[in-house]
Amino acid sequence: MRRLFWLGIGLALGALVFRKLNQTAQRLTPRNMAQSTGSALAELTQAVQDFAAEVRESMREREVELREGAGLDAGDVTAAGVPGGTATG
């Protein structure tokens, strides 16, 4: 009776290990690896784009603050490439 019990435990553990190894092998196929890498790169790209947008917005806000603090008119910019400004070299 005792041997039958241990045989059952061994079979159950063997089946669990086999199933876990099979799942791991499926995740490590080239197709699944490419999909997970593609997803990770897409998420990273989106995070970088969001960060850049936040930085640009913060720069705009800070420029307005500095212009107001310096008493400059926001419409009278003298930098090259900015509407209303002139390029002075």
Side-chain angles (χ1 to χ4, degrees):
M1 186 70 162
R2 192 193 250 177
R3 288 183 182 181
L4 188 59
F5 170 76
W6 288 113
L7 177 65
I9 295 292
L11 288 173
L13 287 176
L16 289 174
V17 168
F18 178 77
R19 184 174 177 204
K20 190 67 171 175
L21 287 173
N22 196 17
Q23 289 173 349
T24 302
Q26 288 297 321
R27 278 188 280 137
L28 296 178
T29 61
R31 179 178 300 210
N32 286 337
M33 291 291 285
Q35 288 176 347
S36 65
T37 302
S39 297
L41 287 176
E43 290 175 16
L44 177 63
T45 301
Q46 185 61 45
V48 169
Q49 288 174 346
D50 292 343
F51 176 73
E54 289 178 22
V55 168
R56 284 190 298 270
E57 181 62 30
S58 296
M59 286 172 41
R60 284 187 206 105
E61 290 173 3
R62 183 65 179 145
E63 182 178 4
V64 168
E65 291 173 5
L66 290 172
R67 289 188 162 281
E68 287 175 355
L72 298 174
D73 183 19
D76 191 25
V77 178
T78 59
V82 178
T86 59
T88 57

